[in-house]
Amino acid sequence: MDFQVVVLAGGVSKKLLPLVSKELPKALLPVANRPVLSYVVELLELSNLKDLIVVVEGEDAALNVGAWISGAYADRLHVEVAAVPEDVGTAGAIRAIARHLYAKDILVVSGDLVSDVPIGAVAATHRRHDAVVTALLCNAPISGPLESVSSGGKDKTKKPGRYDLIGLDPTKQFLLHIATGAEVEKDLRIQKSILRAVGQIEIRADLMDAHLYAFKRSVLLEVLEQKGAFNSLKHDVLPYLVRSQLKSEVLLNGIPQAEENGSEKVISQSNQQMLSQILANASEPTFHLRHTLNTNGSDSVRRTHKCCVYIAGSSKYCARLNSIQAYNDINRDVIGEASHLSGYSFSAHNNIIHPTAELGAKTTVGPHCMLGEGSQMGDKCSVKRSVIGRHCRIGANVKVVNSVVMNHVTIGDCCSIQGSVICSNVQLQERAILKDCQVGAGFVVTAGSECKGEVLAKKWN
Amino acid sequence: MDPPRRAPRTIIDPVPKFRQVGFFAPGAPPERSQSGPPDPTHSSPPIPNTSAASLSPVMIPPPRHLSDNLIIHARPSVASPRRAESINVGGSNCDAPVSPAPSSSYSSRFAVGGDRSFFDGKGNNVGKVVASSFPRGGFDLTAMKVNANVVVPASELTTVSVVNDSLGIPEKEKANKGGGSAGEVKDHPNSKQQKPKPTKAERRALQEAQRAAKAAAKGEGNKASGPTTSVNAKPAKAVKPAQKVDNTAVAASEKKGGDCPPEKDRKKDAPQPRMQYDDQSRVEKAKRRSVVKQTEARNRVELFRHLPQYEHGSQLPDLEAKFFDLYPVHPAVYKVGLQYLSGDISGGNDRCIAMLQAFQEAIKDYKVPPEKSLGRDLTAKISSYVSFLIECRPLSISMGNAIRFIKSQIAKLPLTLSESEAKTSLQSDIERFISEKIILANKVIVKHAVTKIRDGDVLLTYGSSLAVEMILLHAHELGKQFRVVIVDSRPKLRGQHLLRRLVEKGLNCTYTHINAVSYIMHEVTRVFLGAASVLSNGTVYSRVGTASVAMVAHASRVPVIVCCEAYKFHERVQLDSICSNELGDPDVISNVPGREDVKYLDGWANIENLQLLNLIYDAMPSDYVSMIVTDYGMVPPTSVPVIVREYGREQVWI
């Protein structure tokens, strides 16, 4: 269908710092014991998109990601990995691989997307409207753990302003305004020209930009070339395209136009005009069209382009792993509500316990839990709504609630872990109590220590 | 200058062709007093088989396949002088563009376009082919060529994972396995033709024979013949054309099946009846093939059960989700299909133009597969596109004519032409069809019809018709003083768009809804109507409501002038608007535009004794039509068969 897919896998994200490292870039961060990138790749595979370009920030990270992909998807997908320097931003990443893009439209997906939205639908919407850019919007996920007992206060501080403010036209097909929640301080500036043309703008704060865009390649590359300062697709390119949609500066389908003119030279120009007029009158005119036609009197024709949205249905799951909170949420959802995403089959107790995992006497693993391969648990442990990775050794009388424990973690007796993320190779000595903590890889938590809301990590060498 | 007002001709049909189409309770007896011919589909719903099999009085046999005839006796363009003549009647300066010297313009375009497209195609092809078959090396190679000077710090791609079997076919199989259930439907154009031809032809002949023999109980006939496991695509293919609304697809599959004249003859003798959607078994079969997920709508109106009606809500998202699974469908065609389905493009001319342009695009990108001839393979391709479009929305008659034109052009291509030449010639043919049959035709219609507008006239039009709009604008430009009454109707309210455009141009307009048409008709002096098609008995097939407007005009003795391009004429004969029609989305009429809060009919599908009917077209008997303005001049409706006969065949198209 003449689409190319670019997966922006990122590098070592600063936002996720104790969790990620050079060895474990963001793309490989395990979500329900599977790298987060695999969710995107499999979503694409489901849509029959098997040719991917994965862009990773940093050489080391690229090597790691490449190694993982070649191991996991050999024979199934045709994946190419490109390494770009760190901090070039999403726009820079596209610039760097621009010469490898040749298809008519480019699908840019963030590697941290966990979703089951049919990607074809986004592409189809893009094609149907002949849009310059189409963005996938989804309902903003519910943040925080399900039982709001523990972190009610924390939610309140984090939740508002986190998401995007999105302006839509009444038919909910076109994007008229976009601002990231963080940028909006007090007031919201909306262009008068757009408002005048459309007549009515619906501003929504309950939608989230899922960072999945379909771009028209010619336009995307042109914008990136002209605006060298643009750093991010989401913060620079998309708002720019939305802003300028009624006074388009991009050369819309420049190449096809030239071709058409060539082949239709024989036909008089008036016919051409009439044809376009017929097509223009074809159906419900969009505001773009009305805007273009309004200026028939003046000499210059206003050029417009369309920025479309595809709004995922409320039944679809869609989340981005872009913060530690989101990491917790996604882990919870993937083994909980959105369990079809995980790709595992759940047992009768609604949990996944690998057959090689060993449980001690009187140990209970509740529903919405996951226990990885070769993990051992001592007696009288209790696990609730948590993910435990591979080859973990957990002592007796340990409580794990709402937490993520990665691989090769050793947990001593009588520990209690709540709402925390424990990275690989961490050692928790006896009676450690962690609540809402993040423990970086290889850290040793001394016996009896009690932490709340802390970030525990090794000093960077 | 008044067009002659004729007394109603009783010869054709004395019975008024208007039926009350209302809400029928499932068991209620039909109103016999209203309807002329008995309607077996209605009167005997429990026995659906018979209705599908034998031709009932109501069912109109579909037209024969012209494209078949075309090959046999392709006459050289006799028509061109006559056409020029008829055009001269209307205006003097318009005949030049209508009849361009075909040979000269053709050849020049040919040379220019041919070179470029050949070059383009080649450039692209090389890149793509290499990239796909040798993913590792090919990618870098093309990339290196493309960028000589890139400012951005470019990064190299490292292929970390490669699909091992880089050939196309195994990949397809994998796609099927991997859950692309939809791909399965259309995946087999290649494999189909590799099977030995004679057996296929034989099988088809056998099928045809059985079908003809078992005319009475045909529903079961197809199942019995043909091994179902190995060729699950083929019986479907054989059945398909018969079921489609317009039988243009027949020509294609027939050509593909090989040339066996006896079979063709038989087909001509007993044309296939149209698909009747109240026939359970056939509907099931059609559904299995279809790309677009079609959920049968519930609560269908009894009288219209034989027409396809699906739940509209689920179709678009479903098709969209399958975007990447359907690679046999060309992206441009797919886009048009989506636009049909979503209603972005509606209206006869627009749909036709959009389809033709998509085909043009598809032909441009088309490459003849090895060991196949362009004529056959491209026809099959086009047929598959057409059936995809039909699933999105039933074809209009004008589109059927256009498809017939394309296919006849493909069939007519001389075998000596190279691939690129053939493609360019087809593209320019399509181009010419659009410009001559649609655009110039409209211009000529305007020239003719404008003479019928006098100062002080009050012109009434219904809905939004391109030709009528152009007539009104042109008359305004000529400085004629007149007033326009635009009659509109729910749910589309297309008249509002027309109104907006006319008012912008400074015309004096009145806007009203169809409910008030009898009131406003007293002040009207002329009625101008557009048409979706004009059938050979003079019946005008047009947007629903047109017939009532014409009837009121007729009763008030106001002349009705129908403006219709000749490419929309069809040789079919139709007496009512029941046996062949299109059903729109019933939800549209249950909604109130601009009032989202009014939801009295929400969940109507669950109310058993409620049915909604959203008819798209209706048929206007020729008695109401004073004159038809077409690109061949202004003719009475009785002359339509003449135009169809004289110009409707291959002469029209060149």
Side-chain angles (χ1 to χ4, degrees):
Chain A
M1 281 295 176
D2 212 7
F3 262 91
Q4 252 183 320
V5 185
V6 177
V7 180
L8 300 178
V12 181
S13 166
K14 290 210 174 62
K15 278 189 202 163
L16 296 167
L17 210 45
L19 309 186
V20 294
S21 61
K22 279 223 163 61
E23 291 75 43
L24 190 73
K26 181 182 170 187
L28 299 183
L29 209 56
V31 170
N33 290 341
R34 252 173 63 186
V36 63
L37 188 60
S38 70
Y39 290 89
V40 168
V41 172
E42 263 153 48
L43 178 67
L44 292 166
E45 195 186 2
L46 206 65
S47 303
N48 216 355
L49 290 165
K50 292 164 190 287
D51 260 322
L52 317 177
I53 298 177
V54 176
V55 186
V56 187
E57 284 183 357
E59 294 285 341
D60 299 343
L63 279 180
N64 284 327
V65 172
W68 170 72
I69 292 176
S70 58
Y73 293 104
D75 281 11
R76 277 164 73 192
L77 301 173
H78 175 212
V79 182
E80 277 151 303
V81 173
V84 295
E86 285 173 47
D87 301 325
V88 292
T90 44
I94 300 285
R95 267 188 211 115
I97 58 155
R99 63 204 181 104
H100 300 290
L101 302 176
Y102 51 83
K104 190 176 163 210
D105 294 289
I106 310 289
L107 207 57
V108 181
V109 193
S110 170
D112 58 6
L113 181 70
V114 177
S115 173
D116 55 354
V117 177
I119 287 185
V122 181
T125 309
H126 184 69
R127 273 289 159 78
R128 179 156 68 87
H129 293 290
D130 205 14
V132 159
V133 58
T134 303
L136 169 65
L137 303 183
C138 54
N139 294 312
I142 313 135
S143 175
L146 276 186
E147 310 97 309
S148 50
V149 197
S150 58
S151 54
K154 201 174 135 197
D155 266 4
K156 266 176 206 160
T157 55
K158 271 202 167 175
K159 225 178 169 181
R162 212 64 304 239
Y163 299 115
D164 310 306
L165 289 174
I166 287 161
L168 300 172
D169 77 314
T171 60
K172 297 187 176 51
Q173 288 177 321
F174 298 107
L175 190 58
L176 306 174
H177 182 81
I178 184 157
T180 315
E183 290 170 4
V184 181
E185 293 296 325
K186 282 178 191 156
D187 48 356
L188 185 67
R189 283 167 183 276
I190 288 169
Q191 275 173 294
K192 230 191 260 173
S193 62
I194 292 182
L195 185 56
R196 203 180 294 129
V198 186
Q200 192 181 345
I201 296 186
E202 188 182 331
I203 301 279
R204 311 233 338 217
D206 60 337
L207 291 174
M208 184 187 81
D209 177 9
H211 216 296
L212 189 156
Y213 310 112
F215 281 104
K216 194 170 264 183
R217 184 198 52 143
S218 54
V219 171
L220 176 63
L221 296 188
E222 193 187 313
V223 170
L224 289 179
E225 197 180 309
Q226 284 177 357
K227 314 274 174 180
F230 280 4
N231 188 35
S232 151
L233 290 181
K234 179 182 162 69
H235 295 116
D236 298 322
V237 177
L238 183 63
Y240 167 75
L241 287 174
V242 170
R243 257 198 327 267
S244 63
Q245 58 183 319
L246 291 183
K247 44 180 190 329
S248 176
E249 290 161 23
V250 292
L251 199 69
L252 268 181
N253 42 30
I255 307 153
Q257 199 110 55
E259 258 174 51
E260 264 177 11
N261 285 346
S263 63
E264 290 167 3
K265 252 175 207 158
V266 194
I267 295 164
S268 64
Q269 201 61 39
S270 65
N271 274 7
Q272 198 57 42
Q273 253 174 18
M274 205 171 128
L275 190 64
S276 59
Q277 192 204 331
I278 293 174
L279 287 178
N281 293 349
S283 52
E284 299 284 322
T286 62
F287 62 91
H288 296 102
L289 202 61
R290 268 183 267 143
H291 189 75
T292 318
L293 294 177
N294 275 345
T295 55
N296 263 355
S298 70
D299 47 347
S300 65
V301 180
R302 288 188 211 171
R303 289 193 305 172
T304 58
H305 59 239
K306 292 180 186 170
C307 301
C308 294
V309 293
Y310 176 83
I311 302 179
S314 53
S315 61
K316 298 288 183 191
Y317 185 78
C318 188
R320 284 190 62 205
L321 203 171
N322 50 9
S323 66
I324 290 172
Q325 180 65 49
Y327 183 68
N328 278 331
D329 295 342
I330 292 172
N331 268 302
R332 176 201 69 206
D333 291 338
V334 165
I335 54 169
E337 294 167 13
S339 55
H340 56 283
L341 278 170
S342 65
Y344 300 105
S345 54
F346 283 73
S347 73
H349 301 292
N350 221 350
N351 54 17
I352 313 156
I353 298 173
H354 198 273
T356 57
E358 292 171 24
L359 299 183
K362 291 193 182 173
T363 287
T364 56
V365 178
H368 307 306
C369 282
M370 182 166 186
L371 200 54
E373 179 189 349
S375 287
Q376 300 172 348
M377 295 190 77
D379 300 342
K380 291 186 185 173
C381 290
S382 132
V383 181
K384 286 179 189 162
R385 295 181 176 277
S386 297
V387 179
I388 294 173
R390 299 182 187 88
H391 305 290
C392 291
R393 294 169 67 187
I394 298 174
N397 224 344
V398 174
K399 275 192 183 132
V400 183
V401 181
N402 284 331
S403 298
V404 181
V405 178
M406 294 187 196
N407 305 333
H408 300 285
V409 175
T410 313
I411 300 177
D413 295 347
C414 302
C415 284
S416 160
I417 302 164
Q418 212 178 37
S420 302
V421 181
I422 317 284
C423 290
S424 299
N425 300 319
V426 167
Q427 203 178 345
L428 257 67
Q429 293 173 349
E430 296 85 49
R431 298 184 309 284
I433 297 174
L434 298 180
K435 194 175 175 198
D436 303 326
C437 290
Q438 289 90 41
V439 186
F443 194 79
V444 179
V445 181
T446 50
S449 56
E450 196 167 326
C451 302
K452 194 171 176 187
E454 283 179 50
V455 175
L456 308 171
K458 274 189 198 169
K459 288 274 177 289
W460 289 98
N461 300 327
Chain B
M1 259 322 260
D2 247 4
R5 283 180 201 162
R6 281 161 288 107
R9 272 184 310 283
T10 47
I11 317 151
I12 297 177
D13 194 10
V15 185
K17 273 142 212 125
F18 266 88
R19 296 186 182 207
Q20 277 184 344
V21 286
F23 299 148
F24 283 78
E31 292 191 346
R32 275 303 162 84
S33 58
Q34 293 286 341
S35 56
D39 187 354
T41 56
H42 187 209
S43 57
S44 60
I47 322 161
N49 274 347
T50 53
S51 66
S54 58
L55 286 172
S56 69
V58 180
M59 230 177 332
I60 309 300
R64 292 169 190 178
H65 342 296
L66 277 184
S67 44
D68 290 343
N69 301 341
L70 290 177
I71 318 162
I72 302 165
H73 44 86
R75 272 182 270 166
S77 59
V78 193
S80 56
R82 296 189 61 175
R83 206 166 31 151
E85 241 170 58
S86 71
I87 285 157
N88 279 337
V89 178
S92 55
N93 59 346
C94 58
D95 52 357
V98 171
S99 56
S103 60
S104 66
S105 69
Y106 183 86
S107 63
S108 68
R109 188 182 323 164
F110 184 83
V112 175
D115 275 356
R116 190 189 305 97
S117 85
F118 181 71
F119 178 75
D120 267 351
K122 190 130 191 183
N124 286 339
N125 295 351
V126 171
K128 272 178 196 162
V129 166
V130 171
S132 64
S133 56
F134 309 104
R136 199 184 301 258
F139 198 90
D140 282 336
L141 220 154
T142 47
M144 292 302 240
K145 269 190 216 161
V146 172
N147 64 325
N149 42 1
V150 180
V151 192
V152 184
S155 59
E156 287 305 316
L157 296 187
T158 332
T159 309
V160 293
S161 159
V162 176
V163 183
N164 263 0
D165 34 12
S166 51
L167 290 174
I169 298 160
E171 244 181 48
K172 270 182 200 167
E173 283 170 5
K174 251 200 308 186
N176 279 347
K177 272 182 222 156
S181 60
E184 203 174 305
V185 185
K186 297 261 173 188
D187 265 358
H188 307 294
N190 295 337
S191 58
K192 230 182 279 169
Q193 297 213 339
Q194 283 158 4
K195 303 262 164 72
K197 285 250 163 82
T199 53
K200 186 179 177 187
E202 277 167 28
R203 203 182 302 119
R204 289 205 41 147
L206 181 73
Q207 255 185 344
E208 294 301 330
Q210 278 176 343
R211 194 177 296 160
K214 294 188 196 172
K218 195 187 332 158
E220 265 55 49
N222 293 321
K223 275 183 206 159
S225 68
T228 42
T229 47
S230 66
V231 283
N232 58 352
K234 272 178 200 163
K237 192 77 190 166
V239 182
K240 187 186 281 179
Q243 297 159 339
K244 296 307 173 188
V245 177
D246 203 300
N247 71 336
T248 43
V250 172
S253 71
E254 202 145 289
K255 249 173 243 150
K256 234 177 53 181
D259 25 7
C260 34
E263 187 189 320
K264 247 184 223 169
D265 289 347
R266 192 165 48 237
K267 273 225 160 152
K268 269 178 215 159
D269 290 337
Q272 298 260 329
R274 221 166 282 136
M275 167 94 164
Q276 301 293 306
Y277 282 82
D278 43 1
D279 184 341
Q280 281 299 328
S281 60
R282 292 193 148 216
V283 169
E284 283 303 313
K285 257 181 224 158
K287 217 186 279 178
R288 245 177 283 145
R289 282 194 314 272
S290 64
V291 177
V292 185
K293 186 178 148 209
Q294 297 172 325
T295 326
E296 292 285 325
R298 284 183 290 176
N299 295 10
R300 289 183 293 166
V301 177
E302 193 71 26
L303 191 56
F304 291 94
R305 288 236 166 162
H306 59 287
L307 297 174
Q309 182 171 20
Y310 304 112
E311 290 195 356
H312 285 249
S314 62
Q315 279 180 323
L316 185 61
D318 191 71
L319 184 62
E320 281 185 337
K322 279 193 276 191
F323 186 72
F324 290 108
D325 296 333
L326 290 171
Y327 48 87
V329 178
H330 189 274
V333 178
Y334 189 90
K335 178 180 160 191
V336 171
L338 276 179
Q339 285 172 331
Y340 288 172
L341 194 56
S342 62
D344 285 353
I345 296 185
S346 58
N349 281 327
D350 316 312
R351 278 166 71 197
C352 194
I353 292 175
M355 179 189 73
L356 287 173
Q357 286 181 335
F359 284 168
Q360 223 176 351
E361 196 92 337
I363 289 175
K364 198 164 87 185
D365 295 345
Y366 171 76
K367 281 183 278 300
V368 183
E371 299 176 15
K372 276 186 194 155
S373 71
L374 180 132
R376 290 191 179 179
D377 192 60
L378 188 56
T379 318
K381 252 249 132 82
I382 298 267
S383 299
S384 75
Y385 295 159
V386 169
S387 55
F388 169 74
L389 292 180
I390 290 175
E391 280 167 30
C392 294
R393 191 180 160 185
L395 294 185
S396 68
I397 290 174
S398 56
M399 288 161 74
N401 283 340
I403 293 165
R404 201 152 55 162
F405 163 75
I406 295 178
K407 285 187 175 165
S408 74
Q409 289 299 323
I410 295 175
K412 267 195 234 164
L413 284 176
L415 290 172
T416 50
L417 278 186
S418 77
E419 184 184 330
S420 64
E421 283 171 335
K423 275 158 61 180
T424 349
S425 118
L426 281 177
Q427 285 178 48
S428 62
D429 282 340
I430 295 176
E431 193 71 61
R432 210 168 58 238
F433 186 91
I434 296 177
S435 67
E436 287 179 14
K437 290 292 146 198
I438 302 177
I439 295 178
L440 282 177
N442 271 305
K443 287 188 176 169
V444 175
I445 289 175
V446 169
K447 285 261 156 40
H448 290 313
V450 148
T451 61
K452 296 292 167 213
I453 299 180
R454 294 174 307 191
D455 282 348
D457 265 350
V458 179
L459 311 174
L460 182 141
T461 184
Y462 174 71
S464 169
S465 154
L466 174 72
V468 173
E469 181 183 347
M470 288 171 64
I471 291 164
L472 297 175
L473 289 177
H474 187 65
H476 182 68
E477 278 167 22
L478 293 180
K480 299 202 176 184
Q481 297 299 316
F482 62 94
R483 194 157 67 84
V484 182
V485 178
I486 297 174
V487 178
D488 206 355
S489 73
R490 285 187 61 210
K492 281 198 168 168
L493 298 176
R494 293 297 301 273
Q496 288 184 354
H497 303 311
L498 177 67
L499 180 72
R500 189 174 47 77
R501 292 193 291 263
L502 292 185
V503 169
E504 268 173 16
K505 292 274 159 59
L507 274 79
N508 192 357
C509 294
T510 306
Y511 178 79
T512 182
H513 273 215
I514 195 166
N515 325 27
V517 70
S518 59
Y519 169 77
I520 203 107
M521 195 56 84
H522 296 298
E523 46 189 277
V524 172
T525 56
R526 296 258 189 299
V527 174
F528 279 92
L529 296 173
S533 177
V534 179
L535 308 177
S536 66
N537 61 341
T539 304
V540 176
Y541 191 64
S542 189
R543 223 196 89 171
V544 68
T546 314
S548 0
V549 172
M551 183 174 66
V552 174
H554 182 72
S556 321
R557 305 203 168 274
V558 178
V560 175
I561 299 167
V562 172
C563 307
C564 183
E565 302 88 337
Y567 86 103
K568 292 178 177 171
F569 286 18
H570 200 273
E571 58 190 349
R572 183 193 294 171
V573 171
Q574 202 170 316
L575 300 175
D576 57 28
S577 51
I578 295 170
C579 63
S580 168
N581 208 322
E582 191 185 328
L583 297 180
D585 183 0
D587 286 327
V588 176
I589 52 173
S590 71
N591 295 334
V592 182
R595 290 289 304 274
E596 300 294 325
D597 51 320
V598 180
K599 289 183 172 172
Y600 300 122
L601 282 180
D602 256 13
W604 61 272
N606 299 322
I607 307 171
E608 249 177 43
N609 52 0
L610 169 65
Q611 293 127 17
L612 300 189
L613 177 67
N614 181 13
L615 268 185
I616 303 286
Y617 296 110
D618 64 11
M620 179 204 309
S622 58
D623 306 336
Y624 301 153
V625 183
S626 315
M627 187 170 70
I628 294 175
V629 186
T630 173
D631 26 344
Y632 298 111
M634 292 181 275
V635 296
T638 43
S639 300
V640 173
V642 181
I643 290 183
V644 170
R645 190 179 67 231
E646 295 296 320
Y647 302 102
R649 298 280 164 106
E650 62 268 31
Q651 293 97 322
V652 171
W653 312 127
I654 288 300

